[in-house]
Amino acid sequence: MFFVRTAMKADLPAVQTLLTETWHATYDVLYGVEKVAEITRSWHSVEALQTRLSRPQSEFLVADDGKRIGGMAYAARSDKDVVLLHQLYVHPSLQGQGIGRDLFAEIETCFDGAKRIRLEVEPENETACAFYRAHGFVEVGRTENCGADGSGIPALVMEKALA
């Protein structure tokens, strides 16, 4: 059984491994092995994760069973009304077991006063798109630079109202 908790600095190497394995399993077919490796080295380095871990008005969560990190989520307040869900990943071998649901449920409760949660998702990642739709997200736009200016990665922009 996995428990959701706040990430700690000691978790970051395991989170990096989780992100690298999940990105290769999901995106190699779309972007190629080399592009995915380049992205994971940049976006998912321990140093990049450390920056997120210490960012004010953010929440960095892991799903932990005491032996390994099976999933992670990271969101940060964009302004007083909007939270950006930057990352929600579950290891491919553990998907479909409710870990993503539990991570998302916790993220939803972390930002008092926020009215909306927004994310970007690769349109060809049908599993992720279906997950977000099932959790109340609707498409509100598109971008050609998901994750970073000039990334060249297309994405749907989706939002959900928060209670």
Side-chain angles (χ1 to χ4, degrees):
M1 168 161 283
F2 283 84
F3 296 94
V4 174
R5 64 172 174 78
T6 300
M8 301 178 295
K9 187 175 182 178
D11 297 322
L12 298 182
V15 171
Q16 179 187 33
T17 299
L18 166 83
L19 290 169
T20 299
E21 291 175 1
T22 304
W23 263 70
H24 279 291
T26 305
Y27 296 113
D28 281 0
V29 68
L30 297 174
Y31 305 128
V33 174
E34 285 137 24
K35 176 75 171 174
V36 171
E38 175 188 325
I39 289 169
T40 58
R41 277 191 305 274
S42 173
W43 294 1
H44 306 141
S45 68
V46 170
E47 295 79 17
L49 296 172
Q50 175 64 42
T51 299
R52 292 180 199 123
L53 187 64
S54 59
R55 180 176 173 186
Q57 297 197 36
S58 70
E59 191 65 41
F60 194 141
L61 303 173
V62 293
D64 182 354
D65 71 354
K67 297 176 187 162
R68 69 177 177 162
I69 302 297
M72 64 80 63
Y74 171 73
R77 192 178 291 270
S78 166
D79 61 40
K80 71 177 188 140
D81 292 336
V82 179
V83 171
L84 298 178
L85 179 61
H86 293 278
Q87 296 173 296
L88 183 110
Y89 293 100
V90 175
H91 192 275
S93 68
L94 299 170
Q95 291 175 4
Q97 298 181 28
I99 295 169
R101 176 201 63 221
D102 293 348
L103 285 162
F104 181 68
E106 183 65 23
I107 285 286
E108 280 188 300
T109 69
C110 291
F111 298 92
D112 289 340
K115 294 182 178 151
R116 294 184 316 277
I117 187 165
R118 181 180 302 141
L119 60 85
E120 296 176 350
V121 61
E122 161 63 59
E124 292 187 47
N125 186 345
E126 294 173 8
T127 302
C129 291
F131 174 87
Y132 292 124
R133 285 186 182 102
H135 287 84
F137 283 85
V138 295
E139 183 179 341
V140 296
R142 292 181 177 251
T143 182
E144 294 305 316
N145 293 298
C146 181
D149 288 338
S151 72
I153 298 173
L156 302 177
V157 179
M158 300 180 84
E159 280 189 359
K160 176 185 179 175
L162 294 173

